[in-house]
């Protein structure tokens, strides 16, 4: 049963979705509430005015690093983008977890006559990077990167993945403007017209291991399907690829070609988080990658078995215009301090360039608070 309630707090409307799944004993009751104060942290009028992706990592107890993919740099005048430039990735540093008092600062490079540019760029200048998940370790801040190239045509989705890299920020305590980033190619990635393997969709630290999630994509009759895949590595050895082991048929093996598909129909972007109140691992993603439906799946272990997808939220932005789509849903363990809650973000975008320019509510992370209720 999906119930829809709404209440008014001052002039602010808050929407609350309550999901109770009685048919499946493994699925707890769940409430989802929008978080406008968190949204407001990304409502800049000058400089960084919108970005997608929105992965996060805790640099310390009170500092969170945000990574964005394609980002608009410019200004907003009369609720419309003005003199805006699109760059391929940016970073933000959030000081403080309480959105009422948190401070945000956004970072990107400048070229030539102060022209905005991506913060992290491929060393060989081939294509560009989009940023996946990241994790803070004693060696520094590791971040997974996917290398993208444009394909012929002018459509919004004319691009392809050509590489998968692991970046190491050796000095994450400094301003991102001064980061030193070492790039190492992930040897277990493959890309072809028939599909491939990609790593870094999500990173989970449990005890002495880092669990690195990715996707295995197969293409049949021009239809691509992605499945969750998983590797693990000692937490101190993420960049030592000889230490990686891949989950295959119930075992951890050294041959990446044997990796097992764990959960079907997963996008490149998702999250995996341990929720103490549930004593379960929770995967969050947008249905089919691009959808107004946000799903979660539950598992007793990092490797599964993963349960069936549970719909928890319908993104209202998709109803504003036929051109609008939603994507990039994921959880943020760095923000979720209560054992029964998980903060989730998603992004609303449009296939029509003018719609994004004219509607500045789009192309920024939207925040939800997911609470796992007691029966």
């Amino acid at each position: 049963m999906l119930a829809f309630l709404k209440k008014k707090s001052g002039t602010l409307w808050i929407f609350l979705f309550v999901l109770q799944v009685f048919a499946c004993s493994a699925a707890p009751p769940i409430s989802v509430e929008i978080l406008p104060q968190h949204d407001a942290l990304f409502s800049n009028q000058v400089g960084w005015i919108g970005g997608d992706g929105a992965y996060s990592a805790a640099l310390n107890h009170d500092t969170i690093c945000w990574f964005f993919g394609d980002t608009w740099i410019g200004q907003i005048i009369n609720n419309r983008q003005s003199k805006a430039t699109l760059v391929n990735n940016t970073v933000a540093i959030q000081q403080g977890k309480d959105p009422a008092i948190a401070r945000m600062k956004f970072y990107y490079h400048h070229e030539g006559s102060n022209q905005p540019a991506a913060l992290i760029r491929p060393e060989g200048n081939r294509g560009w990077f989009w940023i996946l998940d990241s994790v803070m370790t004693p060696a520094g801040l590791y971040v997974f990167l996917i290398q993208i190239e444009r394909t012929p045509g002018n459509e919004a989705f004319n691009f392809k993945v050509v590489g998968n890299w692991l970046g190491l920020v050796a000095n994450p305590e400094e301003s991102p403007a001064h980061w030193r980033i070492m790039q190492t190619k992930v040897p277990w990635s493959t890309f072809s017209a028939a599909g491939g393997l990609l790593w870094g969709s999500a990173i989970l630290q449990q005890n002495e291991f880092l669990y690195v999630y990715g996707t295995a994509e197969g293409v049949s009759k021009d239809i691509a399907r992605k499945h969750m895949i998983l590797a693990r590595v000692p937490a101190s050895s993420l960049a030592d690829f000889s230490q990686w082991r891949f989950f295959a048929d119930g075992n951890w093996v050294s041959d990446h070609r044997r990796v097992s598909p764990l959960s079907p129909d997963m996008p490149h972007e998702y999250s995996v988080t341990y929720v103490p109140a549930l004593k379960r691992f929770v995967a969050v993603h947008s249905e089919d990658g691009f959808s107004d439906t946000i799903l979660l799946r539950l598992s007793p272990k990092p490797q599964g078995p993963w349960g069936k997808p549970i719909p928890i939220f319908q993104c209202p932005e998709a109803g504003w215009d036929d051109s609008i789509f939603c994507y990039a849903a994921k959880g943020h363990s760095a923000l979720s301090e209560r054992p029964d809650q998980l903060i989730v973000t998603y992004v609303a975008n449009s296939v029509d360039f003018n719609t994004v320019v004219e509607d500045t509510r789009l192309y920024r992370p939207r925040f939800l608070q997911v609470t796992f209720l007691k029966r």
Side-chain angles (χ1 to χ4, degrees), residues 95 153 163 186 295 340-341:
Q95 296 284 353
V186 179
L295 304 175
D340 62 344
Q341 290 184 341

Side-chain angles (χ1 to χ4, degrees), residues 194-247:
L197 304 178
L198 182 148
W199 299 95
S201 298
I203 306 174
L204 172 73
Q205 183 157 8
Q206 284 289 292
N207 302 319
E208 71 272 25
F209 288 107
L210 290 175
Y211 291 84
V212 181
Y213 293 83
T215 53
E217 183 177 35
V219 180
S220 177
K221 296 181 180 179
D222 295 326
I223 298 176
R225 293 191 68 189
K226 302 180 184 71
H227 293 70
M228 175 193 288
I229 54 175
L230 177 61
R232 78 177 185 186
V233 60
S236 60
S237 304
L238 181 58
D240 183 355
F241 294 113
S242 69
Q243 297 292 310
W244 283 43
R245 296 295 181 266
F246 306 89
F247 192 72

